[in-house]
């Protein structure tokens, strides 16, 4: 009979039950095949020696808690909090983060009650993960109604994206090495969230936390804040596995209006709530002097931020501390643009400065 | 906001997390990086509609691709840093491998990055404990060609290692 293939010999090394009896019988009596089997075994051993498993068992419980904090499983009821900051934690996540940020909804929802300013600048605020968890969920303080769908929709090309959103899709010039192929174009339609403050619900939430609710300022009870975000467009380059590796996109920056008391009053009152850590409150207060800044929470210790210049506009550069992912975000004329991916900060800046 | 996270995520996570970390760790040689990759892969899975029965293969393939992508972006950085005269990047593998020296660690990563992608993924999946049937299903290969693909990857890996070692 003919000699079995090298693939059959390979399988004999570590899964012999999968090899037909006839092949096994042949190999046992064939010097050529036995030599091939020895060679396959040697190469397999060499590969196994250099591809070691993790040395200690992984902590599945801790890992699950980490995932839950990034993607709150089971919280399927709307409205729920949603933040994009945790998405920046892992490698390859900057592109994801950018897509979420570009969805507009990401910015609005990620910051919940923070983006109550017309956005002119992006300013990172360092929050620890504990602080993120401790941020009060707006739904504890009243009603939050969201209209629109934050889920991005795929469209055939840049022209279709522009037609649907009215936003020109930024066209990247030279892409970083390793980013190839045609991008997928995603759009997000405009979104609106209306938060109605309820003194009764806020008092209940404070009570549950064993705190006393500070007296709301006059007129705050029942006053509404309307948050608008989007539309947004993004071009996303993916790997065959579907994981985004690079994204360029643009969104109408979030704005907010109130129909009762001024924004500043709402913000300052929320800042005064006992459940807000002092240091975070202090950081947030810094923004009150400049009502045109969008605080962008980033996980403390995971991401470094710096500033750069993109064609004369100040931009915020975020880079994971391991240097694996980077993104750059800036706002001009009420439009937020971001470039991010599993590339270096130099590379995202080069693409940002070369956008057409 | 609707957070569309599939209901079976925790069950799938607990069943597959160690293996997914193992797949990424074999590529990266770093458990910390591997756990980061696993987090990303499960986040993606949580938003997907991949049938639960196919989750194991899907997650393993996604972890291998994501880790290989990281390897490649890391290699680009290394090349650039070397070009401007810096020292080798101080990426110390935290996988216990007393046998594999640091230089060899770098050569393995470089060799993996140079392998044809399908070979690299098949190699890593098989060495992570997936059966031939599982590798075949995950990569849409015939079972018969899994052995061939893995064999070629191992042969190429060994040649690359030898070549790298001799060119140092």
């Amino acid at each position: 009979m003919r000699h079995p293939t090298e693939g059959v010999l390979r399988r004999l090394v570590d899964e012999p039950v999968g090899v037909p009896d006839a092949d096994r019988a042949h190999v046992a009596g064939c010097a050529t095949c036995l030599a091939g089997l020895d060679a396959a075994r040697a190469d397999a051993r060499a590969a196994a020696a250099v591809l070691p498993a993790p040395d200690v068992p992984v902590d599945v419980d801790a890992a699950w808690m980490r995932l839950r904090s990034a993607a709150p499983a089971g919280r399927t009821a709307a409205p729920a909090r949603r933040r994009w900051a945790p998405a920046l934690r892992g490698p390859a996540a900057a592109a994801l983060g950018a897509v979420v940020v570009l969805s507009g909804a990401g910015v609005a929802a990620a910051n919940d009650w923070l983006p109550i300013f017309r956005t002119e600048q992006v300013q990172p605020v360092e929050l620890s993960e504990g602080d993120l968890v401790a941020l009060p969920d707006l739904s504890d303080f009243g009603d939050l109604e969201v209209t629109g769908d934050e889920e991005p929709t795929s469209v055939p090309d840049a022209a279709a994206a522009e037609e649907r959103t009215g936003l020109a899709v930024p066209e990247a010039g030279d892409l970083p090495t390793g980013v190839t192929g045609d991008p997928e174009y995603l759009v997000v339609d405009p979104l609106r969230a209306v938060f109605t403050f309820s003194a009764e619900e806020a008092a209940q939430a404070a009570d549950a936390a064993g705190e006393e609710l500070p007296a709301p300022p006059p007129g705050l009870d029942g006053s509404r804040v309307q948050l608008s975000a989007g539309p947004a467009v993004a071009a996303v380059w993916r790997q065959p596995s579907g994981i985004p590796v690079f994204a360029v996109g643009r969104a109408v920056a979030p704005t907010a209006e109130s129909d009762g008391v001024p924004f500043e009053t709402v913000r300052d009152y929320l800042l005064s709530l006992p459940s807000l850590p002092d240091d975070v409150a202090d950081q947030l207060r810094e923004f009150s002097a400049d009502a045109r800044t969008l605080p962008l929470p980033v996980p403390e210790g995971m991401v470094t931020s710096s500033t750069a210049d993109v064609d004369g506009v100040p931009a915020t550069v975020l880079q994971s501390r391991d240097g694996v992912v980077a993104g750059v975000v800036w706002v001009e004329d009420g439009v937020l643009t971001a470039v991010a991916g599993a590339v270096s900060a130099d590379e995202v800046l080069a693409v940002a400065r070369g956008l057409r | 906001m609707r957070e569309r996270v599939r209901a079976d995520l925790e069950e799938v996570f607990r069943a597959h997390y160690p293996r997914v970390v193992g797949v990424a760790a074999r590529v990266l040689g770093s458990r910390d990086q591997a756990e980061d990759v696993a987090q990303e892969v499960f986040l993606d899975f949580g938003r997907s509609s991949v049938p639960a029965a196919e989750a194991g293969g899907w997650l393993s393939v996604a972890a291998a691709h994501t880790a290989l992508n990281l390897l490649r972006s890391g290699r680009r950085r290394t090349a650039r840093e070397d070009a401007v005269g810096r020292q080798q990047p101080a990426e110390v593998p935290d996988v216990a491998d007393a046998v594999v020296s640091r230089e060899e660690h770098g050569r393995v990563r470089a060799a993996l990055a140079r392998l044809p992608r399908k070979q690299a993924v098949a190699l890593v999946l098989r060495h992570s404990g997936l059966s031939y049937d599982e590798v075949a299903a995950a990569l849409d290969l015939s079972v018969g060609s899994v052995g061939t693909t893995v064999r070629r990857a191992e042969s190429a890996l060994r040649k690359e290692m030898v070549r790298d070692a001799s060119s140092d």
Side-chain angles (χ1 to χ4, degrees), chain A residues 10 14 56 61 66 239, chain B residues 14 31 36 69 132 154:
Chain A
R10 177 62 185 81
D14 56 2
V56 286
D61 285 330
R66 178 180 165 192
Q239 287 301 319
Chain B
R14 291 186 181 278
R31 206 184 87 173
D36 286 346
N69 292 343
Y132 284 71
E154 286 168 346

Side-chain angles (χ1 to χ4, degrees), chain B residues 65-100:
Chain B
H65 277 300
T66 307
L68 286 163
N69 292 343
L70 276 188
L71 211 56
R72 196 190 50 192
S73 61
R75 279 179 53 70
R76 288 208 316 277
R77 257 198 320 287
T78 303
R80 185 161 47 231
E81 282 161 1
D82 288 348
V84 297
R86 285 202 214 155
Q87 292 297 306
Q88 288 286 327
E91 278 194 17
V92 182
D94 55 8
V95 168
D97 52 13
V99 184
V100 183

Side-chain angles (χ1 to χ4, degrees), chain A residues 6-7 10-11 14-15 43 53 55-56 61 63 66-67 71 79-80 91 96 150 177 239 323-324, chain B residues 1-2 4 10 14 17 26 31 36 39-40 43 69-70 76-77 96 126 132 143 148 151-152 154 158:
Chain A
E6 60 176 5
R10 177 62 185 81
R11 197 173 185 184
D14 56 2
E15 202 177 276
D43 283 357
D55 54 327
V56 286
D61 285 330
R66 178 180 165 192
L67 189 82
L96 284 171
E150 91 270 26
T177 313
Q239 287 301 319
V324 169
Chain B
M1 299 284 159
R2 286 177 299 280
R4 292 177 193 158
E10 179 166 6
R14 291 186 181 278
Y17 185 77
R26 282 180 174 82
R31 206 184 87 173
D36 286 346
Q39 290 280 326
E40 285 314 307
L43 275 177
N69 292 343
L70 276 188
R76 288 208 316 277
R77 257 198 320 287
R126 179 62 196 131
Y132 284 71
V143 176
T148 309
R151 176 79 187 91
R152 285 180 186 159
E154 286 168 346
R158 203 169 197 191

Side-chain angles (χ1 to χ4, degrees), chain A residues 5-15 36 39-68 70-83 86-93 96 100 105 108-109 144 146 148-151 176-179 191-193 238-245 302 319 322-325 342-344 346-347, chain B residues 1-11 13-15 17-19 21-23 25-47 58 61-63 65-66 69-70 72-74 76-77 80 86 91 94-97 99-100 104-105 108-109 112 117 120 123-124 126-134 143-159 161:
Chain A
T5 66
E6 60 176 5
V8 170
L9 295 179
R10 177 62 185 81
R11 197 173 185 184
L12 263 180
V13 171
D14 56 2
E15 202 177 276
R41 187 173 284 126
D43 283 357
R45 278 189 188 147
V50 297
L51 299 173
D55 54 327
V56 286
V58 294
D59 184 341
V60 177
D61 285 330
W64 171 245
M65 291 311 291
R66 178 180 165 192
L67 189 82
R68 271 188 64 114
R75 299 196 56 174
T76 47
R81 282 186 300 175
R82 183 162 167 174
R83 300 195 172 85
L88 270 173
R89 259 185 239 163
L96 284 171
V100 177
L144 187 65
V146 180
D149 187 351
E150 91 270 26
E151 205 67 27
T177 313
V179 178
L191 284 152
R192 181 171 299 170
R238 293 177 191 276
Q239 287 301 319
S241 65
I243 308 274
V245 289
M302 299 301 294
Q319 188 167 29
D322 58 9
V324 169
V325 291
V343 296
S344 70
D346 288 345
E347 285 168 316
Chain B
M1 299 284 159
R2 286 177 299 280
E3 180 67 75
R4 292 177 193 158
V5 176
R6 49 192 299 162
D8 60 356
L9 181 60
E10 179 166 6
E11 191 185 335
F13 184 90
R14 291 186 181 278
Y17 185 77
R19 176 177 275 180
V21 172
V23 169
R26 282 180 174 82
V27 174
L28 295 165
S30 157
R31 206 184 87 173
D32 282 351
Q33 286 188 338
E35 294 219 44
D36 286 346
V37 165
Q39 290 280 326
E40 285 314 307
V41 168
F42 277 101
L43 275 177
D44 221 37
F45 175 81
R47 301 185 189 109
W58 188 94
V61 172
H65 277 300
T66 307
N69 292 343
L70 276 188
R72 196 190 50 192
S73 61
R76 288 208 316 277
R77 257 198 320 287
R80 185 161 47 231
R86 285 202 214 155
E91 278 194 17
D94 55 8
V95 168
D97 52 13
V99 184
V100 183
E104 191 180 21
H105 172 88
V108 173
R109 267 57 272 168
L112 275 177
R117 183 55 74 100
L123 173 75
V124 169
R126 179 62 196 131
H127 280 270
S128 299
L130 273 73
S131 71
Y132 284 71
D133 281 340
E134 287 172 324
V143 176
S145 64
V146 170
T148 309
T149 307
V150 171
R151 176 79 187 91
R152 285 180 186 159
E154 286 168 346
S155 175
L157 184 65
R158 203 169 197 191
K159 283 183 191 135
M161 298 281 296

Side-chain angles (χ1 to χ4, degrees), chain A residues 136-138 140-142 195 197-217 220-221 266 268-276:
Chain A
D137 185 336
L138 262 193
D140 284 345
F141 304 99
F195 170 62
F197 180 80
S198 160
E200 191 184 338
E201 287 187 45
Q204 285 171 1
D207 208 38
E211 305 274 2
E212 194 167 329
L213 187 75
L220 185 61
D221 194 15
V266 180
D268 290 347
Y269 177 68
L270 290 170
L271 283 172
S272 76
L273 295 179
S275 52
L276 193 70

